[in-house]
Amino acid sequence: MEQHESEIVERVKRKEPGAFDCLYERYKDQAYRMAVFITGNTADAQDVVQDTFVTVCLEIGQLRETAAFPAWFYRILTRNAIQLSKRKKREFPREELWEDSIDCGDGGIMDPSKVLLEKEENRIIRASISQLEEKYRTVLVLYYFNEFSVKQIAGIVGCTEGTIKSRLHKARKLLERKIRIKELK
Amino acid sequence: MSMAVKTDKYKIEEAIKNMYREEANKLKTPESIKQRIDERLISANERKERIKMFKKKKLVLVAVAVLLFASITSYAGVKVSSTTGWGNAEPDSKVFSDCAKFAKKEGFKIHPVETFSNGYTYNGINVSTNQAYDSEGQPTGEQYKTLMLEYRNENQQITISVEDNGKGSEKPANTVEEKTMDGIKVYMTEYIHMMVPLDYELTEEEKQMIDEGRLGTGTDSLVTEVSSTTYRGIQWEMNGLLWYGLSEDTAGNATGDLELMAEELIATNK
């Protein structure tokens, strides 16, 4: 973690004015995107990001090692996203949550011409990932989007490295199968 | 893209990364998220501060809660359902001369009294920030400051508060008597404050009293039994500022003390 970021985290711990805003600016985009990819829709992602930053601000005093902040942050976010995703799935079961939900922020809709230009490859992968269980979607996001190592993901998710490797392997296999089915349709 | 290419391990890994990258670029973090986070943090901090004040200095918070509730009933036609005041649990200063500094900072032109003729002597000052909320729990009106001067005799404490809530004075709903002192209308009030367990359910009579501003409740996780305290209050408006006096009525003579102190404050500040 950069020195600058350590300083920001320390300032947030000391509750210095403006420090939390700096931290929010630094993490907001990655947090929001990650939350969309795990929950599958922007409305839930907004709730997850809110819950995460509120928890971070209120509980940061419990973080002993400043250098551990990123792992701690993503652990909170991942846990919030998985919990909300599971709860919503029970309440509103849907197959492809994410596919129709990508937008440009506060209710904005993508330009239709951009939608038409979207690669077919992306559409198929996106739709296939949205059908995976949360635990597989989560490791795919952490590994391929956040580009965390297996060891880092194990720390964030709270599993062994072997479990993460196994989930990654299975997620890829499931994805391959779903892609085949989609392409055959 | 052909099926064979996509399901190759390395190609599919590249494809996943590429998909995330491209989708991420389309996602713009809504500005409204930060606003909602800030609102929740303000609310959470208020709750923390409120609990602290209840535990460490109950009377101060009660003074803010009851008297503001009694005095402010609406902002721009929106009914005020509750007010919250927050500030330091301990006095901001115990030095009498600091009262003038705090008053000047808030733009209040007042002349505090150090010792009243009934023996009550200045013991400290707190500055609280207050916010009124409507029935939906949304803030209504601007935040405003209150100076709370604490006075003590051997056994009792009386808090004299001064504020400019921007709305002037209305007759408090919990008024029990009206008087005129040196040409100024003064309202004597009575208020009961109940500390209740977290799962306590109010009776219809208690709800009615709360609506009328005669009863208020407080709670925290340490409270296991209902207990109540009667407070006597006095309120008047002078030079555009609202003045309040509040005392726990343990010995039955709080009203007399409050009246005497109001008379002396009116004489000094008029």
Side-chain angles (χ1 to χ4, degrees), chain A residues 64-126:
Chain A
R64 288 182 187 171
E65 297 292 328
T66 304
F69 177 79
W72 183 69
F73 177 86
Y74 287 117
R75 189 156 52 240
I76 295 169
L77 187 137
T78 303
R79 189 187 58 207
N80 286 342
I82 291 173
Q83 282 176 350
L84 185 68
S85 195
K86 281 182 178 171
R87 197 167 65 237
K88 285 293 174 76
K89 195 170 73 177
R90 281 198 299 274
E91 292 167 5
F92 311 104
R94 282 184 286 175
E95 283 199 346
E96 290 186 8
L97 287 167
W98 178 12
E99 187 166 28
D100 300 323
S101 62
I102 296 295
D103 68 15
C104 298
D106 288 309
I109 300 168
M110 281 171 57
D111 182 344
S113 61
K114 286 184 182 172
V115 176
L116 289 172
L117 287 171
E118 185 185 20
K119 288 181 183 175
E120 179 67 2
E121 177 183 87
N122 281 355
R123 193 192 67 76
I124 292 172
I125 294 175
R126 202 177 63 190

Side-chain angles (χ1 to χ4, degrees), chain B residues 248-262:
Chain B
E248 190 177 333
D249 197 11
T250 49
N253 56 0
T255 304
D257 282 325
L258 285 167
E259 282 186 25
L260 185 144
M261 290 163 79

Side-chain angles (χ1 to χ4, degrees), chain B residues 6-68:
Chain B
K6 194 165 217 176
T7 51
D8 174 273
K9 187 195 170 190
Y10 299 103
K11 293 288 181 187
I12 200 167
E13 287 196 308
E14 277 307 304
I16 294 168
K17 279 184 189 173
N18 187 53
M19 184 277 296
Y20 278 133
R21 204 163 35 237
E22 291 190 12
E23 296 298 334
N25 287 336
K26 294 178 194 169
L27 289 164
K28 185 172 176 290
T29 311
E31 297 293 328
S32 56
I33 294 181
K34 181 64 167 54
Q35 190 184 338
R36 292 202 294 270
I37 290 169
D38 288 343
E39 285 168 4
R40 284 177 59 184
L41 288 174
I42 288 169
S43 175
N45 286 330
E46 281 172 5
R47 275 199 303 276
K48 269 166 88 174
E49 203 57 54
R50 193 164 46 191
I51 288 168
K52 243 193 289 183
M53 290 179 78
F54 262 122
K55 286 177 180 170
K56 294 187 178 173
K57 203 168 184 181
K58 190 169 66 178
L59 187 62
V60 173
L61 181 64
V62 169
V64 175
V66 59
L67 293 168
L68 297 184

Side-chain angles (χ1 to χ4, degrees), chain B residues 49 52-53 55-57 60 87-94 123-127 148 150 152:
Chain B
E49 203 57 54
K52 243 193 289 183
M53 290 179 78
K55 286 177 180 170
K56 294 187 178 173
K57 203 168 184 181
V60 173
N88 292 325
E90 296 300 320
D92 293 320
S93 171
K94 289 204 160 199
N123 191 58
I125 184 169
N126 273 88
V127 182
M148 292 177 290
E150 184 184 299
R152 286 183 184 275

Side-chain angles (χ1 to χ4, degrees), chain A:
Chain A
M1 190 168 63
E2 297 169 36
Q3 178 64 25
H4 184 51
E5 185 168 306
S6 295
E7 286 170 9
I8 294 172
V9 173
E10 281 299 330
R11 285 174 54 216
V12 176
K13 288 176 83 171
R14 292 196 297 268
K15 301 197 181 300
E16 285 184 20
F20 178 70
D21 293 344
C22 288
L23 194 69
Y24 177 79
E25 285 301 317
R26 182 171 279 253
Y27 275 84
K28 66 172 185 180
D29 291 335
Q30 189 75 353
Y32 179 61
R33 290 162 177 174
M34 202 177 147
V36 172
F37 295 151
I38 296 175
T39 62
N41 69 84
T42 53
D44 288 347
Q46 290 182 36
D47 288 344
V48 167
V49 174
Q50 272 185 61
D51 290 345
T52 301
F53 277 101
V54 168
T55 303
V56 164
C57 186
L58 295 177
E59 306 294 335
I60 199 165
Q62 295 176 17
L63 181 70
R64 288 182 187 171
E65 297 292 328
T66 304
F69 177 79
W72 183 69
F73 177 86
Y74 287 117
R75 189 156 52 240
I76 295 169
L77 187 137
T78 303
R79 189 187 58 207
N80 286 342
I82 291 173
Q83 282 176 350
L84 185 68
S85 195
K86 281 182 178 171
R87 197 167 65 237
K88 285 293 174 76
K89 195 170 73 177
R90 281 198 299 274
E91 292 167 5
F92 311 104
R94 282 184 286 175
E95 283 199 346
E96 290 186 8
L97 287 167
W98 178 12
E99 187 166 28
D100 300 323
S101 62
I102 296 295
D103 68 15
C104 298
D106 288 309
I109 300 168
M110 281 171 57
D111 182 344
S113 61
K114 286 184 182 172
V115 176
L116 289 172
L117 287 171
E118 185 185 20
K119 288 181 183 175
E120 179 67 2
E121 177 183 87
N122 281 355
R123 193 192 67 76
I124 292 172
I125 294 175
R126 202 177 63 190
S128 302
I129 288 176
S130 72
Q131 292 179 329
L132 297 177
E133 280 181 59
E134 288 82 9
K135 63 182 179 184
Y136 298 123
R137 280 212 304 267
T138 302
V139 291
L140 287 177
V141 171
L142 291 168
Y143 192 74
Y144 292 110
F145 174 62
N146 292 81
E147 298 187 338
F148 287 132
S149 67
V150 168
K151 187 178 178 183
Q152 286 173 314
I153 297 171
I156 290 169
V157 177
C159 296
T160 63
E161 289 182 45
T163 303
I164 300 302
K165 282 181 188 168
S166 163
R167 284 185 188 175
L168 272 172
H169 177 74
K170 188 157 185 192
R172 278 193 296 261
K173 289 290 169 197
L174 287 168
L175 209 50
E176 284 174 14
R177 197 178 309 153
K178 286 183 186 297
I179 289 167
R180 276 196 200 100
I181 292 167
K182 280 191 182 294
E183 292 207 348
L184 287 172
K185 279 181 181 175

